[in-house]
Amino acid sequence: MRWNRALAHVDEVESKIAAHDAATPKPSPVSAADLTAVAADLRAVWSTPTTDARFKKRTVIHEVVADIDDEASEIVLLIHWTCRTLVERR
C-alpha cells in the first residue's frame, strides 16, 4: 500500500511540474555568437552596474533540486552553488 501511495504522489508531483512548465514562458533562444561575445568579456559583464545579482547567481549555480512539502503546501528548492554552499528556499 505504501508503494502505491508513493507512486501516486510521484504522479501528482510530475503533473504539477508539467502544469508549471506549460505555464512558464520559454526563454528566447541565444545564438552561439552572442554567448561567445559575452564569454569573451565576462569580467565587463559581471562588473557593470546593470548586471543584477540574479544573473550573477545563475552563472554560479551548480544544481537546483525541487520538492513539495505537502504539510506546509510549499515548494522547497535546494540550491547547490558552485562554491559548495547549499541554500534552501520555500
Side-chain angles (χ1 to χ4, degrees):
M1 285 303 228
R2 287 189 331 193
W3 181 252
N4 290 338
R5 279 185 298 205
L7 287 175
H9 181 70
V10 167
D11 287 341
E12 179 184 330
V13 170
E14 287 177 343
S15 294
K16 289 179 181 179
I17 290 170
H20 176 268
D21 288 349
T24 303
K26 303 296 180 243
S28 34
V30 178
S31 72
D34 290 341
L35 286 176
T36 302
V38 169
D41 201 7
L42 190 56
R43 184 176 303 277
V45 172
W46 192 271
S47 302
T48 190
T50 56
T51 303
D52 67 0
R54 291 175 299 174
F55 171 79
K56 292 177 182 180
K57 287 179 180 177
R58 282 194 302 263
T59 60
V60 294
I61 291 177
H62 173 69
E63 175 184 47
V64 177
V65 178
D67 194 9
I68 295 178
D69 183 341
D70 288 325
E71 290 181 18
S73 295
E74 295 178 331
I75 296 175
V76 180
L77 298 176
L78 294 175
I79 304 168
H80 297 256
W81 299 90
T82 55
C83 62
R84 306 273 187 232
T85 303
L86 177 65
V87 177
E88 180 178 308
R89 294 286 184 242
R90 292 178 175 260

